[in-house]
Amino acid sequence: MKHPRRDWSSCWLLALWYLCGSVDGAVFTRNSRPNIVLLMADNLGVGDLSCYGNHTVSTPNINRLASEGVRLTQHLAAASVCSPSRAAFLTGRYPIRSGMASPSNLNRVFTWLGGSGGLPTNETTFAELLQHRGYRTGLIGKWHQGLNCGTRDDHCHHPLNHGFDYFFGLPLELLSDCQAWGRSELHPRLRLALWLSTAALGLVPLLLLIPNLAKWFQVPWKVIVIFSLVALLFFASWYSSYGFTRRWNCVLMRNHDIVQQPMKEERVSTLLLKETLAFIDRYKRRPFLLFVSFPHVHTPLITKEKFRGRSKYGLYGDNVEDLDWMIGKILDALDHEQLTNHTLVYFTSDSGGHLESRAGTAQLGGWNGIYRGGKGMGGWEGGIRVPGIFRWPTVLEAGKVIDEPTSLMDIYPTLSSIGGGILPLDRVIDGRNLMPLLEGRVSYSDHEFLFHYCGVYLHTVRWHQRDCDTVWKVHYVTPKFYPEGSGACYGSSMCPCSGHVTYHDPPLLFDISRDPSETQPLSPDKEAVFDAVMKKVEAALRDHRKSLSPVPQQFSVFNTIWKPWLQPCCGTFPFCGCDKEEDIFPTAP
């Protein structure tokens, strides 16, 4: 029998095309499991980036991500400060559901590495979902989700107990206190009050000595000694923590081991970049999830020398450009390893720019563009509207812009979808899978309502009325700015969630699809739809509150105070200190 003749040259060309496509990722499809690189800045204002309208700051690498991917213009953090925002990002749930929302104005984030609060062990992160699907998972940079529960080595809240195979970075965060001669950033007003109280207590035994020395009358020496001991014990009780903030909080870790205590803050970003590039090289041949959590652009704005003085916005602008350069190095590594087409890259920030962060007249916090408010303000757009950029070549349309309400909580179900994970069925997941929206299969976000908390207090509700393409915002509580009309709470570290706030009755109503700066509240007397909008929002709020369950509060007073027995220590407590950089990093990056 005569066999049909084959065109072997065509077969070879087809085979070669598949081979090359497999190397550079050109033929990867939506159904393949991509590598995932998540890039998160710290307190970066949405108005600090060129691709979001600021053409005076040089961010070419973030611009490149936006031009090659999808840019979200109404991307929202679930909280306006670090710890609760990141908890929501990791779990896809409002922070109040996991006990990661604070009832206090003093400790709205974790302030001590020796505290016992943290992301609960029964919460499931996106890292756990993908780890179970064969992904190698890594976190490099800031964690800020707690560390220990009962002993200094139990590491119950550690990243490795929340789905990450590898961790290198800061278990807490970068603070101005981490500089040897830096200004005090941790509870400055409380520290002043403690110093004044100590001075007052210290004066008591001295005043009691005066009658004895002047021979007016005799004060028992036992009384003087007791008051002296009380003053001494009071001083020791608070100075043992606040007096050694740099040593206790400024720690660099690799997995469960302390690398530096206190860390060399000027070397941190260099080490983080080196670890990031090494992780990509190590796991380039299998699916990986890499979460790079930058210390930029949080104070003290540690910036490489070559970027100092380059921007028009002082040290803050220099730090933004330093961040952009680091992102460029990561993108270059993906290009070099031919992983670009097979890697989903996502860029965002955990909250808006910190308006109150200043040194004299120098602005050390970010700019939130046209949006009102900033970090710490639970409802105003400037505190919660953040950059959101997705790049996945061959899957997502380059240069696309989406102006639909989306949330950092959406990352959880989105990664579960593309990585083949299974969402937990025993809890409420507030995030929504963004892939249909990003790919253009649907035109609207799945979020009809979003609830904006400040700590445990609900400040604002957002309603996306799809039938008329309108986004309403209802403010029940807003902070009182100081000075009045200034747009922030200058003179304090952040605006409070309760106490010095304004409760609105009737609530403030804004149409942010037409008034994104929230400058023109709609009048209940003149706006025909005011009552209808309020009725719809109130019904949604009732349903939302019914879905909440009591949980242990991670920001209780007991959980947030410093505990010596929980303090991580390289060495013998309290003589903690080490520097293992030379052993672990023998060569410079």
Side-chain angles (χ1 to χ4, degrees):
M1 187 172 90
K2 206 171 179 181
H3 293 281
R5 189 176 173 185
R6 293 177 179 170
D7 188 348
W8 290 103
S9 60
S10 299
C11 292
W12 276 109
L13 285 172
L14 186 62
L16 183 62
W17 182 77
Y18 269 102
L19 178 62
C20 294
S22 297
V23 172
D24 67 12
V27 297
F28 283 111
T29 66
R30 165 68 179 83
N31 294 322
S32 60
R33 293 194 303 162
N35 302 310
I36 299 166
V37 176
L38 309 175
L39 308 172
M40 178 175 280
D42 194 355
N43 301 348
L44 179 71
V46 72
D48 290 324
L49 302 176
S50 305
C51 54
Y52 280 89
N54 188 341
H55 302 298
T56 61
V57 176
S58 178
T59 53
N61 296 294
I62 299 174
N63 292 355
R64 174 190 167 192
L65 273 180
S67 64
E68 295 176 357
V70 178
R71 181 167 61 90
L72 306 176
T73 61
Q74 201 176 157
H75 201 42
L76 304 160
S80 58
V81 290
C82 307
S83 296
S85 175
R86 290 163 182 264
F89 173 70
L90 288 161
T91 64
R93 289 154 52 82
Y94 287 110
I96 199 166
R97 296 195 190 278
S98 56
M100 292 290 285
S102 175
S104 165
N105 289 322
L106 181 64
N107 292 315
R108 292 170 59 186
V109 301
F110 294 118
T111 52
W112 294 108
L113 205 47
S116 54
L119 187 64
T121 55
N122 63 347
E123 288 293 327
T124 303
T125 68
F126 55 67
E128 288 180 79
L129 296 183
L130 297 188
Q131 189 181 54
H132 293 155
R133 300 301 297 169
Y135 273 77
R136 296 297 291 182
T137 57
L139 166 60
I140 295 172
K142 171 179 171 177
W143 173 236
H144 213 184
Q145 297 293 295
L147 192 62
N148 297 315
C149 292
T151 67
R152 66 169 49 95
D153 296 318
D154 66 28
H155 291 180
C156 64
H157 302 305
H158 192 282
L160 269 60
N161 276 354
H162 279 293
F164 291 100
D165 297 310
Y166 183 77
F167 169 64
F168 181 88
L170 296 71
L172 197 68
E173 65 174 337
L174 187 62
L175 297 163
S176 294
D177 304 75
C178 292
Q179 292 181 301
W181 305 107
R183 64 187 179 90
S184 174
E185 184 176 347
L186 182 62
H187 302 152
R189 287 189 170 185
L190 176 60
R191 287 193 197 193
L192 178 60
L194 290 170
W195 273 115
L196 293 174
S197 300
T198 301
L201 284 172
L203 279 174
V204 173
L206 294 177
L207 292 173
L208 292 175
L209 276 173
I210 294 174
N212 290 358
L213 296 175
K215 298 182 179 180
W216 296 335
F217 56 87
Q218 191 69 28
V219 177
W221 284 103
K222 184 183 289 187
V223 173
I224 295 174
V225 169
I226 289 173
F227 274 103
S228 298
L229 287 174
V230 168
L232 184 62
L233 287 172
F234 176 77
F235 174 71
S237 69
W238 69 265
Y239 195 78
S240 60
S241 56
Y242 286 102
F244 301 92
T245 305
R246 182 168 182 258
R247 189 163 296 274
W248 298 153
N249 279 351
C250 303
V251 171
L252 194 64
M253 295 183 75
R254 178 194 292 278
N255 294 327
H256 291 292
D257 300 322
I258 296 176
V259 175
Q260 288 180 349
Q261 186 179 20
M263 64 187 175
K264 297 177 180 177
E265 72 281 353
E266 72 280 357
R267 287 278 295 157
V268 168
S269 63
T270 298
L271 299 181
L272 296 182
L273 180 58
K274 178 169 182 171
E275 285 288 330
T276 299
L277 302 183
F279 185 94
I280 293 172
D281 181 65
R282 197 157 57 239
Y283 299 115
K284 60 189 175 185
R285 301 194 186 282
R286 60 182 298 178
F288 65 80
L289 163 71
L290 175 58
F291 176 21
V292 185
S293 179
F294 296 96
H296 306 63
V297 287
H298 197 290
T299 50
L301 301 175
I302 304 299
T303 306
K304 296 179 186 65
E305 188 63 35
K306 64 181 177 181
F307 291 101
R308 287 179 173 268
R310 281 184 35 167
S311 80
K312 297 179 180 179
Y313 296 102
L315 187 56
Y316 181 84
D318 299 343
N319 202 240
V320 171
E321 295 191 10
D322 189 359
L323 165 69
D324 182 80
W325 176 83
M326 290 180 69
I327 290 173
K329 289 297 181 184
I330 297 169
L331 299 182
D332 289 346
L334 295 175
D335 290 341
H336 177 73
E337 300 295 348
Q338 298 181 325
L339 298 173
T340 299
N341 286 353
H342 190 45
T343 301
L344 171 68
V345 178
Y346 167 72
F347 173 75
T348 192
S349 174
D350 61 359
S351 68
H354 192 181
L355 302 181
E356 292 89 354
S357 184
R358 288 180 166 184
T361 58
Q363 181 68 26
L364 301 181
W367 184 54
N368 299 310
I370 65 170
Y371 305 109
R372 191 173 183 181
K375 176 182 177 177
M377 305 181 204
W380 293 124
E381 288 291 283
I384 54 177
R385 193 179 286 223
V386 294
I389 300 172
F390 287 85
R391 187 191 74 172
W392 187 0
T394 74
V395 175
L396 301 182
E397 179 185 344
K400 186 174 183 178
V401 178
I402 295 176
D403 188 26
E404 288 286 302
T406 57
S407 170
L408 264 66
M409 297 184 292
D410 298 337
I411 303 308
Y412 185 89
T414 303
L415 297 189
S416 176
S417 171
I418 65 177
I422 301 173
L423 291 176
L425 301 176
D426 61 344
R427 65 200 65 189
V428 176
I429 302 297
D430 298 297
R432 300 290 183 264
N433 178 15
L434 289 178
M435 285 310 298
L437 182 65
L438 295 174
E439 292 178 294
R441 289 184 278 132
V442 299
S443 300
Y444 294 104
S445 163
D446 270 353
H447 289 291
E448 185 177 8
F449 295 95
L450 283 165
F451 304 92
H452 303 302
Y453 284 85
C454 188
V456 297
Y457 307 99
L458 185 124
H459 277 200
T460 306
V461 179
R462 180 185 311 253
W463 175 31
H464 183 204
Q465 188 178 359
R466 299 189 186 101
D467 57 0
C468 61
D469 202 23
T470 300
V471 179
W472 305 99
K473 269 187 76 179
V474 176
H475 289 266
Y476 295 94
V477 184
T478 57
K480 292 181 179 178
F481 293 150
Y482 179 83
E484 190 174 345
S486 63
C489 299
Y490 296 111
S492 63
S493 59
M494 272 189 305
C495 289
C497 294
S498 61
H500 193 64
V501 297
T502 300
Y503 297 89
H504 298 283
D505 186 18
L508 298 180
L509 175 63
F510 294 93
D511 176 0
I512 63 166
S513 48
R514 295 174 177 81
D515 177 26
S517 300
E518 297 174 283
T519 59
Q520 302 168 17
L522 303 177
S523 169
D525 300 323
K526 298 179 181 178
E527 185 61 50
V529 299
F530 188 96
D531 291 337
V533 171
M534 293 307 306
K535 185 177 180 180
K536 184 77 173 179
V537 169
E538 289 289 347
L541 184 53
R542 286 194 297 271
D543 291 341
H544 168 69
R545 284 177 168 153
K546 288 177 185 176
S547 74
L548 301 177
S549 302
V551 290
Q553 295 302 305
Q554 300 302 316
F555 288 92
S556 66
V557 173
F558 178 76
N559 279 338
T560 53
I561 60 173
W562 180 74
K563 305 173 183 66
W565 60 92
L566 295 186
Q567 177 59 50
C569 183
C570 186
T572 303
F573 186 85
F575 306 104
C576 307
C578 63
D579 183 359
K580 303 176 183 177
E581 181 186 342
E582 294 303 321
D583 298 333
I584 299 175
F585 307 107
T587 58

